Amino acid sequence: MKNSIFSILVVLGMLSSCSSQKNLVDSAPFEIGKAYCQDWYGGKEESGAGVELKVPVANLDGYRVNSIYFRGQQSYVKVINEEGQKFVVATMTAKTMVPPKDIIMHSDPKQELGNKPAAKKLQKDFPFELAYDEAILSYYKGDVINYVKIKDIKHKQAIIYPSRSKE
């Protein structure tokens, strides 16, 4: 009896792990051109910074692009037309390490007594192992989601947006 229960649990575990695996295909059924990324910086601290990834695509008929995984982040994408060329574009903001302003830092731990503990954020494991110049694009054909790896992403010179002063 114990062996049959154990066997059933093992089979269920195997079935559930198979369904959670990503369907990574070798090549996309549509054309993917030479992708590039570009860091961007806002003119003010509150403007932020990040990276924009552009992937030239063609023949997307019947396919719906969804999101991209790049440098430890996931971002939803949009398809844009630029000078007659279609691009899949993802904009990812940089994670800033700005400490909250209401925290007291002191060499005497008693002085820090009023600090509230930081809220723990659940961070999902990144589902893919990628090199610095690689990304994964997810796309749908009907209700089936697939993933394709994009390699050799070129890194272009950063864009620095000027801050605008009110006059």
Side-chain angles (χ1 to χ4, degrees), residues 1-15:
M1 181 70 179
K2 287 184 181 181
N3 286 340
S4 63
I5 293 174
F6 179 74
S7 297
I8 291 171
L9 290 175
V10 169
V11 170
L12 288 174
M14 289 172 55
L15 289 175

Side-chain angles (χ1 to χ4, degrees), residues 33-125:
K34 188 71 178 147
Y36 66 91
C37 67
Q38 201 164 22
D39 292 325
W40 57 269
Y41 302 94
K44 295 182 179 180
E45 184 179 347
E46 61 270 9
S47 300
V51 64
E52 181 177 74
L53 176 63
K54 282 189 170 182
V55 183
V57 293
N59 302 325
L60 275 177
D61 300 334
Y63 298 96
R64 198 173 73 241
V65 291
N66 181 47
S67 61
I68 203 149
Y69 299 82
F70 184 60
R71 296 186 183 165
Q73 292 187 25
Q74 177 189 9
S75 175
Y76 288 106
V77 296
K78 59 185 173 182
V79 178
I80 63 166
N81 283 313
E82 210 171 81
E83 298 176 8
Q85 171 70 53
K86 282 188 180 182
F87 289 91
V88 171
V89 179
T91 303
M92 290 159 263
T93 56
K95 297 174 182 167
T96 58
M97 296 297 293
V98 178
K101 296 181 182 190
D102 60 347
I103 289 184
I104 300 167
M105 301 299 287
H106 200 277
S107 60
D108 181 9
K110 292 178 184 176
Q111 296 294 324
E112 297 179 8
L113 189 61
N115 290 341
K116 295 179 184 175
K120 292 185 180 180
K121 293 183 180 179
L122 297 175
Q123 183 176 5
K124 295 181 182 178
D125 292 331

